[in-house]
Amino acid sequence: MSILTARDLAKEYGPDEIFSGVSVEVPHGARIALVGPNGAGKTTLLHILIGQELPSVGDVYRARGIRVGFLPQRPEILSEYTLRQEFYSAFSQLRHMEQELAHLAEQMSAPGASEAATTAYGALQEAFEAAGGYTYEQRIKTVMQGLGFKPEDLDRKLAHLSGGQKTRAVLGRLLLEAPDLLALDEPTNHLDIEAIAWLEGYLKDFPGAVLVVSHDRYFMDAVAGVIWELDFGALELYRGNYSHYAQQREERHLRRLKEFEAQQAFIAKEQEYIRRNLAGQNTRQAQGRRTRLERLMRDDLRLKPHTRRDMHLNLGATLRSGDLVLRTYGLEVGYPGKTLFRAPDITLRRGEVAALIGANGVGKSTLVKTAVGELPPLDGEVRIGASVKIAYFAQAHEALDPDSTLLDEILNAKPMNISEARSYLAAFLFEGDDVFRPIRTLSGGERGRVALAKLALSGANFLLLDEPTNHLDIASQEVLQNVLADFPGTILLVSHDRYLINALATQIWAAEPGRLEVFEGSYQEYLTAKAARAAAAAAAEAEARAAASNGGTAAVRRGGDRAHPSGLTPYARRKRVEALEAQIHALEAALAGLSRDLDAAGAAGDADTVRRLGESYLEAETALHDAMTEWESLVD
């Protein structure tokens, strides 16, 4: 059953038509991602569907009583609430019931309390419990922690929060309200990787429908079951997550192109026959063919599939570096008086891609600036290898002069004639008078393309990229990913774009407060190892608790409990079984991930990766066998 239906929607601004003929449905519990290039009208369509804008043509029907929650890209918060009050406002009805229960409890405790107060209290308490009255405090804590807020943030005024924190505050309230339709416009923009992963898990169990506009491909892979693509003024529907959509889109485009070309060939052949025979002996046949051709061209003419012009990027290095590109010794990163973290000794070799991940503010950009020499290390040293030429792409594009034009920036990066510079900028989708625009007038995505254009002129063989996909639309992200995959040099990548990291990384540098973990392997292998460590830690903690409750003796039996061969008390045995089940679940998930990676590496003919993954698979399989054996001995 659909909770929202739209028919033949169109939107125009003056003479410009943004889109037309859009008809969609949102079923109950749906997970839909709306994608398309910047400027296609995604946010406008979202506003129309939830009732914040009116369509120029068409109708939107929403189920009666439907509750809609909306997260804009830049929420405006005028409330004087604290963060605590904002979260509590999601449970105003429950809090009112809580006050009423307290009032009834006072009446019941008074001398001569009436039977009516007791009856009312019982009924209200049952309703309060059914509505989640005894769990909402824990739900608030879960959402607060998941979105990266600290306990001390709860009493901060919303007006005093940063833009990203305000967005997370509104998102948290919406999740707690659990509306029937949750409409999210770029919800991952201000979240770090841990918070995005948490949000993905939360949305999987979310009871309502979710409609999200996003450029985060990994997020859409995890959350979406349907993709709506809005492009060239029309909307097309694809079943599956983002990866399925990307494959289906390519297949659909190729099929339509072949159908168009076949029809054009048929039309040309028929027209040639008609031209040669219309005045000859086969006039009647030619006239019949002309009639049928006119009918085809009127009723069933295939149009050539639209092809959007993508950014063209070439990052070929002009100089081959030595095998050793970067090495650190006893490195301590931070600022005078403040250590952010200490790093183990790092070695990065030619052709490798290191992905630096971690929470916002942990010191990732500081490490990059230390590596390029913009900041001195607090301790230790960074050594750059022989023949290494570095190019640094800064997240905030600090290297761009806001008063310069696009043309000035390119000419300053590399001398060339004006026509050559204009042609070069056209490859990055800047044409005509755009090349004379000052940098300060550009959007975030446009600035990113200018920065990439300058990067491509550097001839560097070691790229340090700080959030290179920020503000880029999906098509530009895909171009950048393909170009980086073919780059012959070395890359240090700071990014929240897990799709990019998963495709490129050969090392993972995970930054945490006070420490940096260096993991040799892909992002998926890192996640698998992390899950296995978490399962082992949980099992060890449960085992320690069980041993403590057992008092270090073979078994302490109460009330005639029969001793188990393991020597554990019933309570300790139950806790150990629970820990083993959690470990088994995590190891099975890890093995499934490793199996997928092995298939992909085998198909690619990557023998080194197959060998390394095979060793990890064998270790996980052995751990699973041991855990299953112990579990079976405890449940017998």
Side-chain angles (χ1 to χ4, degrees), residues 250-282:
E250 182 67 19
E251 293 171 351
R252 191 177 295 186
H253 177 82
L254 290 175
R255 185 183 71 250
R256 288 175 177 173
L257 184 60
K258 288 180 180 178
E259 290 172 352
F260 168 78
E261 291 172 345
Q263 190 181 66
Q264 289 298 304
F266 172 78
I267 291 172
K269 181 180 178 182
E270 291 296 284
Q271 288 174 333
E272 176 63 16
Y273 180 90
I274 294 166
R275 184 187 64 77
R276 285 188 292 104
N277 293 282
L278 192 59
Q281 293 183 348
N282 296 323

Side-chain angles (χ1 to χ4, degrees), residues 313-336:
L313 179 62
N314 182 1
L315 292 176
T318 59
L319 178 69
R320 178 185 172 93
S321 73
D323 183 60
L324 181 64
V325 174
L326 178 145
R327 179 169 284 170
T328 69
Y329 300 91
L331 187 63
E332 183 178 333
V333 174
Y335 298 91

Side-chain angles (χ1 to χ4, degrees), residues 286-519:
Q287 288 175 337
R289 289 195 180 192
R290 183 172 63 180
T291 299
R292 289 191 294 273
L293 184 60
E294 289 172 349
R295 186 184 304 121
L296 180 146
M297 296 181 71
R298 183 184 68 242
D299 300 334
D300 194 28
L301 182 64
R302 305 292 171 88
L303 298 177
K304 186 175 183 179
H306 291 290
T307 301
R308 186 169 291 278
R309 186 162 167 263
D310 291 330
M311 177 179 69
H312 179 73
L313 179 62
N314 182 1
L315 292 176
T318 59
L319 178 69
R320 178 185 172 93
S321 73
D323 183 60
L324 181 64
V325 174
L326 178 145
R327 179 169 284 170
T328 69
Y329 300 91
L331 187 63
E332 183 178 333
V333 174
Y335 298 91
K338 183 178 181 181
T339 298
L340 295 175
F341 56 77
R342 294 180 180 274
D345 292 347
I346 297 169
T347 300
L348 188 62
R349 300 187 181 278
R350 184 182 65 247
E352 290 192 301
V353 179
L356 177 55
I357 62 174
N360 294 332
V362 78
K364 301 186 298 295
S365 295
T366 306
L367 174 58
V368 173
K369 290 178 179 178
T370 302
V372 298
E374 287 190 15
L375 289 174
L378 297 182
D379 196 9
E381 63 176 319
V382 178
R383 292 185 186 174
I384 302 298
S387 302
V388 172
K389 184 176 182 182
I390 297 174
Y392 176 34
F393 180 98
Q395 179 179 173
H397 311 135
E398 295 99 331
L400 300 179
D401 182 353
D403 296 320
S404 291
T405 66
L406 280 70
L407 202 56
D408 292 335
E409 287 288 336
I410 296 305
L411 293 174
N412 289 336
K414 182 179 180 181
M416 62 182 81
N417 61 51
I418 299 295
S419 61
E420 187 180 359
R422 295 189 68 155
S423 297
Y424 181 74
L425 281 167
F428 291 84
L429 310 183
F430 297 110
E431 297 179 318
D433 291 340
D434 282 346
V435 302
F436 300 112
R437 290 174 60 189
I439 297 297
R440 66 171 68 255
T441 67
L442 303 182
S443 68
E446 290 169 332
R447 287 177 184 239
R449 297 208 307 273
V450 176
L452 287 172
K454 292 185 66 176
L455 185 76
L457 291 173
S458 67
N461 52 31
F462 184 23
L463 304 181
L464 286 82
L465 308 177
D466 195 351
E467 299 293 355
T469 58
N470 268 12
H471 307 295
L472 295 181
D473 60 22
I474 288 178
S476 296
Q477 290 178 32
E478 291 173 342
V479 169
L480 178 61
Q481 178 178 311
N482 292 334
V483 169
L484 292 178
D486 293 334
F487 180 64
T490 309
I491 301 172
L492 173 54
L493 174 67
V494 182
S495 183
H496 290 136
D497 186 344
R498 293 164 298 160
Y499 208 90
L500 183 69
I501 294 170
N502 200 43
L504 301 179
T506 60
Q507 291 188 28
I508 302 298
W509 299 357
E512 300 175 5
R515 66 183 292 267
L516 178 77
E517 176 191 357
V518 175
F519 178 85

Side-chain angles (χ1 to χ4, degrees), residues 93-94 96-105 108 116-136:
Q93 185 175 357
L94 279 176
H96 177 74
M97 294 170 69
E98 202 169 33
Q99 293 171 357
E100 184 63 23
L101 282 171
H103 177 66
L104 288 171
M108 291 164 56
T118 303
T119 302
Y121 183 90
L124 184 59
Q125 184 184 42
E126 185 176 343
F128 181 72
E129 182 177 5
Y134 294 112
T135 60
Y136 79 86

Side-chain angles (χ1 to χ4, degrees), residues 544-578:
R545 287 199 304 266
S549 68
N550 200 33
T553 61
V556 178
R557 297 185 294 276
R558 294 188 180 89
D561 285 339
R562 184 165 48 88
H564 188 269
S566 65
L568 297 176
T569 65
Y571 174 80
R573 182 159 56 94
R574 186 171 70 252
K575 288 298 181 183
R576 179 58 180 157
V577 166
E578 291 173 357

